Amino acid sequence: MIAIAKKSKNNIKIQYLGANNQVTGSCTYVQIKTDKQLNFLVDFGGIQDNRLNVEDYYKANSNNLPIDFSKLDYVLITHAHSDHIFKVGMLKSLGFKGKILCTVPTVDLMQLNLTDSAYIMDKECQKFNTKNQTKGKKIYPLYTQNCVEWAIDNTLGYDYNILIDLDEYTTLEFLPAGHITGASMVSIVHKYDGQEKSMLFTGDTSGSREKVFTKSADLKGRSYDYCQIESTYGNRLHPSKSPLEQLEQDIYNVVFERGKTLLIPVFAIARSTEVLHLLKQVYEKCPHFEDIPIYLASPMSCKAQRIVSKDNMFQYYDDKWSSEKDLFRWKQVTYIESFEDVKTQLMNSKPKICVSASGMLDSGYSRFLTTCFAPQRGSKILFSGYQGEGTLGNLMLSKTQKSTTIDGKVIKFKADIDLLQGMSSHADMNDLINLVKQIKGIKHIAVVHGDEEASNNLKDKLFKIIKCDVDVPKYESIYKF
């Protein structure tokens, strides 16, 4: 009897289940069929849209995907931002029995982020249900602290650049992505029936842009048949001007000269550390600032600092960051983790710099501090990153209104309001193109994680340069190879 070779043509199926023509909710479903089936997700992020009311937000994030989670072998996580991990807390209730895989730093940062999300949802649902008791409306947290603990117990952390067997035919490798501490690109190589197929999922990447306490992306010499790339800044270039000069000028004008408060809203994971690093550089250049105190006011930011500063984490950073360890011992910074300390130490007219989460003022101590310092002429609110539509930060930065109601209190905007330029942790259009140009042999590129204009612009640019099939996939669409 003559043996007939198994056909492996088009045995890899990729379905797009998130961040299609939008920036949040990253999720891709991969099925590899051989003599058995391997199923995994790359990321499982939440939809973040501040234009949604509370009920619609919970509904948008609770919709089950068209997959059987009990048959899912793995969830592969690129990094610990909520738009890539938020729904990991739901895996237990969805019947997932597999393992969650990511880098070692991402395990710690994911636990921090998911724990905070569970806490916020619990309080948010209690508040909503109390307010709407007579209307018969009720919402429930999408997951609890117990669900987070279960997810972390079922998470395995790995180093960069080691081969991990997913099954006897398929290997996984986490490659450095820059972006934030622990961020990775997911590299998959599948060998079956004499054929080799390879896939790369960039997740979020800063490309060649250097970001603090990360390991930079480098794809030189690598070959992939398929590449899925983010496109957050797929139609934009970052300003060439360093944020250091702008930050120095604001400290001089607002705090040193006027004796007022400079409030810098930050994202708790990564951006808080990056802003403190910038401040340290400014203070080293300008010793006359040494009497100006700096406060990091955010429990989550303080915990993130402690994670990033662990000695065992430095193997996951580029070598240069080992000489920057003194940032975490810098006496200029006072860490504030309780609301009582916010009220007793920051509610005064003394000159100071307050670095506080959250970055878009949708919650956290930064929102409360905004109610205190936004009405204060001469002070300044300096945003350190993108402000999503519908957020308080976006409203203030757009300068379309002179006041708004925050937590039931009318707040007039008398303080200066601005954006610290050049802080994005995403690669811009040219960086994304240059990253892909490093790869050999690409046959298909899928552009995700960007709004429609950004994704389509990057698609057109890549098609002209790379000369291969480039697609901006729609939600639930499928690609096979």
Side-chain angles (χ1 to χ4, degrees):
M1 184 176 179
I2 300 173
I4 300 174
K6 300 175 182 129
K7 299 298 181 183
S8 58
K9 184 179 180 181
N10 292 344
N11 69 322
I12 298 178
K13 176 181 173 182
I14 300 173
Q15 186 171 25
Y16 305 96
L17 298 175
N20 307 115
N21 281 315
Q22 63 179 15
V23 174
T24 63
S26 288
C27 182
T28 305
Y29 180 36
V30 182
Q31 297 171 274
I32 303 178
K33 189 174 181 61
T34 54
D35 48 11
K36 56 184 177 182
Q37 185 94 7
L38 175 66
N39 304 313
F40 59 87
L41 293 182
V42 179
D43 287 330
F44 195 25
I47 296 170
Q48 298 170 303
D49 188 341
N50 289 282
R51 293 168 296 182
L52 297 174
N53 62 38
V54 175
E55 288 177 284
D56 289 341
Y57 169 80
Y58 278 77
K59 183 178 179 181
N61 281 294
S62 62
N63 287 343
N64 289 343
L65 299 180
I67 61 177
D68 184 347
F69 280 84
S70 68
K71 295 181 180 178
L72 201 61
D73 299 294
Y74 302 101
V75 175
L76 313 180
I77 298 297
T78 60
H79 68 285
H81 276 152
S82 291
D83 57 330
H84 293 256
I85 65 160
F86 176 75
K87 292 184 180 180
V88 167
M90 299 167 60
L91 285 172
K92 181 182 179 182
S93 62
L94 290 171
F96 176 66
K97 297 181 178 67
K99 292 294 179 183
I100 303 158
L101 310 183
C102 58
T103 64
V104 171
T106 298
V107 179
D108 286 354
L109 292 172
M110 181 166 66
Q111 182 174 18
L112 174 63
N113 200 347
L114 292 177
T115 298
D116 187 66
S117 295
Y119 174 81
I120 289 172
M121 283 191 290
D122 181 57
K123 298 299 180 186
E124 192 170 56
C125 290
Q126 286 184 34
K127 183 179 178 181
F128 178 90
N129 294 341
T130 300
K131 184 178 179 181
N132 292 278
Q133 193 169 13
T134 58
K135 300 176 184 177
K137 289 184 177 181
K138 245 186 178 184
I139 57 173
Y140 299 92
L142 299 175
Y143 49 87
T144 65
Q145 297 293 352
N146 178 266
C147 297
V148 173
E149 291 169 13
W150 181 91
I152 298 303
D153 286 344
N154 285 277
T155 299
L156 301 175
Y158 293 91
D159 295 343
Y160 288 124
N161 302 116
I162 65 166
L163 296 179
I164 305 155
D165 290 331
L166 297 182
D167 67 10
E168 58 189 295
Y169 310 114
T170 314
T171 57
L172 158 71
E173 188 178 1
F174 290 114
L175 308 180
H179 192 60
I180 69 167
T181 295
S184 64
M185 293 185 270
V186 169
S187 171
I188 303 288
V189 176
H190 174 69
K191 297 178 182 178
Y192 180 72
D193 194 28
Q195 294 186 31
E196 178 174 313
K197 298 179 181 181
S198 52
M199 297 171 272
L200 179 75
F201 302 83
T202 68
D204 289 351
T205 177
S206 50
S208 62
R209 300 180 74 232
E210 193 176 75
K211 305 303 289 183
V212 298
F213 303 104
T214 69
K215 192 176 281 289
S216 300
D218 185 1
L219 295 173
K220 295 185 187 72
R222 289 190 172 263
S223 301
Y224 292 99
D225 300 302
Y226 170 92
C227 174
Q228 180 172 300
I229 189 166
E230 69 130 312
S231 59
T232 311
Y233 283 80
N235 60 340
R236 285 171 284 177
L237 300 177
H238 295 312
S240 56
K241 184 179 177 181
S242 166
L244 279 171
E245 184 180 332
Q246 183 184 353
L247 188 58
E248 177 188 340
Q249 196 65 47
D250 281 336
I251 296 171
Y252 182 83
N253 291 339
V254 176
V255 192
F256 189 77
E257 282 281 286
R258 300 178 199 159
K260 298 292 185 179
T261 295
L262 177 63
L263 173 60
I264 308 177
V266 294
F267 305 104
I269 293 178
R271 187 54 49 83
S272 56
T273 305
E274 188 174 10
V275 168
L276 290 182
H277 182 259
L278 286 173
L279 287 168
K280 192 169 188 297
Q281 289 179 281
V282 172
Y283 273 59
E284 287 170 350
K285 179 186 174 185
C286 308
H288 50 286
F289 289 164
E290 65 180 3
D291 291 332
I292 299 173
I294 300 170
Y295 298 91
L296 180 62
S298 161
M300 193 172 173
S301 295
C302 294
K303 289 172 184 173
Q305 280 282 98
R306 288 194 282 272
I307 291 171
V308 176
S309 67
K310 288 180 182 177
D311 286 339
N312 69 312
M313 291 295 176
F314 279 79
Q315 64 181 296
Y316 304 101
Y317 311 151
D318 287 327
D319 291 342
K320 70 162 287 181
W321 299 113
S322 292
S323 62
E324 303 281 356
K325 281 186 178 182
D326 58 346
L327 171 67
F328 305 107
R329 298 184 292 271
W330 191 26
K331 300 299 184 184
Q332 199 76 33
V333 181
T334 299
Y335 291 81
I336 293 188
E337 300 186 60
S338 78
F339 188 58
E340 280 304 310
D341 287 341
V342 170
K343 291 189 290 184
T344 57
Q345 296 188 50
L346 303 185
M347 301 304 300
N348 56 58
S349 58
K350 295 177 182 178
K352 58 188 170 298
I353 299 170
C354 297
V355 180
S356 186
S358 66
M360 297 186 194
L361 307 181
D362 50 3
S363 61
Y365 295 163
S366 64
R367 186 178 178 91
F368 172 75
L369 289 169
T370 296
T371 67
C372 305
F373 297 114
Q376 190 179 100
R377 200 176 302 280
S379 287
K380 185 165 189 173
I381 299 173
L382 183 63
F383 291 98
S384 63
Y386 171 76
Q387 302 299 303
E389 285 191 45
T391 62
L392 175 57
N394 181 276
L395 171 69
M396 294 180 68
L397 201 56
S398 68
K399 300 180 182 178
T400 55
Q401 293 180 203
K402 294 183 179 180
S403 68
T404 193
T405 301
I406 304 176
D407 300 330
K409 184 179 179 182
V410 176
I411 301 297
K412 293 183 178 180
F413 303 144
K414 294 182 180 179
D416 295 334
I417 300 167
D418 203 356
L419 175 67
L420 185 59
Q421 299 290 335
M423 292 297 291
S424 177
S425 56
H426 292 270
D428 68 12
M429 179 182 71
N430 285 346
D431 285 321
L432 291 168
I433 291 170
N434 289 333
L435 187 69
V436 177
K437 283 168 68 176
Q438 294 178 21
I439 304 171
K440 300 175 183 176
I442 297 180
K443 299 180 179 65
H444 185 87
I445 301 173
V447 182
V448 299
H449 203 282
D451 63 32
E452 187 173 358
E453 183 181 343
S455 294
N456 281 307
N457 183 75
L458 185 62
K459 169 193 169 183
D460 293 342
K461 297 285 185 184
L462 287 172
F463 180 75
K464 290 176 183 176
I465 296 169
I466 309 299
K467 308 289 186 188
C468 73
D469 185 26
V470 187
D471 181 36
V472 179
K474 297 184 184 302
Y475 179 74
E476 289 194 345
S477 64
I478 291 170
Y479 174 72
K480 295 180 180 180
F481 74 107

